[in-house]
Amino acid sequence: MAARHRHIKTGLAVLMLAILPAGAPAQTDAMPNRVRTEYGDPANPAHQQIYDNLKQQRVLERLGEFLSPFRFPRDLLLKVEGCNGKVNAYYEDAVVRVCYEYLAFIYDNLPRGATPGGLAPEDAALGPTFDVFLHETGHAVFDMLRIPLVGREEDAADLFSAYILLQLSKEETRTLMRGIAHLARKEATAAMAETLQLKDYAGVHSHAGQRYFNLICMAYGRDPELFANAVSIGQLPAERAAGCATEYAQFEYAFQTLILPHVDYELFRTVRARQWLRPQPPE
Ligand SMILES: [Zn+2]
């Protein structure tokens, strides 16, 4: 069973951080609209349909516009590409790469009918697709904007993605979160079915079950009315649910303190007011 996206972190970025003096002046050429996109040719013919769908729906272009408010010191490239069978996604050196294999994994795990939470199958791929790009973009933001982290980077990247998606309209947020939760729950169930050794807990990612509950806790913490079924259908235990508003607020405080200063606020307001899930004709 393939795991939820992992990433590799560039050793160079870590080295650069080590040799730069503390308090180095901020990059002066940071500006919004620095996200570029690229559709790599699918090496595997089985991925041609995914390539065609992504291009037809302008998925990367929309993600690039969605992320345009971030003032990056250099261009960030979002790319889809074939990964020789690996179901994965990566961030390294200002490039986010999502494998066609990972997108195929999303499609292979779509619900066959409406879920108990009311998610239509045709909408179920949207959330995980946004989520994988935003998780990797989280790594890009931490690296390119030199955001200090107190805690594990993989958890922070998960929360970054959830937090961004929870800023959209209630309708879009609900659709996205239900899609992500559906896949995360399937992965958690599969992970629970395996007999785990101690070393299985040594990874940089939290266990799939923890990632699932971290996600729905963020959603419930953001809007307990909209995500009221997180407790009933999502099986979020009441003792965890009670603290989710505080957990959400804790991440929001970090985001507003550390990341928001790198966001073009006017552009952010424009982005936030738009609808993102339905394909729109080029402007
Ligand atoms: Zn990651």
Side-chain angles (χ1 to χ4, degrees):
M1 183 68 186
R4 199 158 166 221
H5 42 278
R6 304 183 182 94
H7 91 293
I8 51 172
K9 185 170 173 59
T10 169
L12 183 62
V14 174
L15 186 65
M16 290 292 289
L17 282 178
I19 60 175
L20 279 170
Q27 303 256 14
T28 53
D29 50 354
M31 61 180 81
N33 294 307
R34 295 204 90 157
V35 182
R36 306 285 171 258
T37 61
E38 184 179 336
Y39 296 89
D41 290 329
N44 182 344
H47 297 150
Q48 185 66 40
Q49 185 69 48
I50 297 174
Y51 170 90
D52 292 341
N53 287 348
L54 292 175
K55 286 199 85 165
Q56 190 257 326
Q57 297 183 16
R58 301 179 63 248
V59 170
L60 291 188
E61 290 87 343
R62 282 192 282 153
L63 279 162
E65 292 161 19
F66 186 74
L67 296 169
S68 62
F70 285 102
R71 290 199 301 258
F72 288 117
R74 57 179 172 142
D75 287 354
L76 169 67
L77 177 64
L78 304 183
K79 187 177 182 186
V80 280
E81 64 181 22
C83 298
N84 297 314
K86 286 201 177 73
V87 178
N88 217 333
Y90 308 89
Y91 166 73
E92 184 175 21
D93 197 20
V95 181
V96 164
R97 298 173 202 276
V98 173
C99 303
Y100 285 112
E101 287 85 345
Y102 188 85
L103 297 172
F105 168 73
I106 291 174
Y107 299 130
D108 288 345
N109 283 283
L110 293 180
R112 304 205 179 276
T115 67
L119 177 69
E122 62 268 26
D123 287 338
L126 294 167
T129 302
F130 268 71
D131 182 48
V132 65
F133 278 99
L134 286 177
H135 173 101
E136 300 306 330
T137 299
H139 290 302
V141 164
F142 305 152
D143 176 37
M144 296 171 72
L145 302 177
R146 301 178 61 199
I147 304 298
L149 295 175
V150 182
R152 305 215 302 167
E153 180 169 345
E154 290 301 334
D155 290 338
D158 282 348
L159 299 184
F160 175 90
S161 174
Y163 179 80
I164 296 279
L165 296 178
L166 287 165
Q167 307 314 307
L168 296 176
S169 70
K170 283 178 185 277
E171 185 197 353
E172 294 206 322
T173 287
R174 186 169 51 192
T175 300
L176 291 163
M177 283 295 151
R178 283 174 170 173
I180 300 167
H182 172 79
L183 184 62
R185 186 173 176 134
K186 282 193 81 166
E187 291 192 85
T189 305
M192 295 300 295
E194 295 173 17
T195 304
L196 295 175
Q197 312 281 322
L198 181 59
K199 65 179 174 57
D200 294 319
Y201 292 94
V204 294
H205 297 84
S206 294
H207 186 272
Q210 294 176 295
R211 296 179 81 178
Y212 169 71
F213 284 119
N214 290 343
L215 172 81
I216 59 176
C217 185
M218 280 289 277
Y220 186 75
R222 161 72 168 167
D223 194 335
E225 287 180 18
L226 187 64
F227 296 102
N229 63 4
V231 177
S232 52
I233 296 174
Q235 297 178 353
L236 180 66
E239 56 269 31
R240 175 74 184 268
C244 289
T246 303
E247 289 192 41
Y248 176 85
Q250 186 179 51
F251 186 87
E252 180 158 75
Y253 175 61
F255 186 94
Q256 291 179 348
T257 305
L258 300 170
I259 299 177
L260 206 55
H262 299 277
V263 172
D264 183 305
Y265 194 67
E266 284 306 310
L267 204 48
F268 171 68
R269 284 181 54 180
T270 309
V271 162
R272 197 174 173 179
R274 278 179 60 180
Q275 295 285 308
W276 289 98
L277 299 190
R278 303 296 163 210
Q280 296 158 333
E283 289 162 10

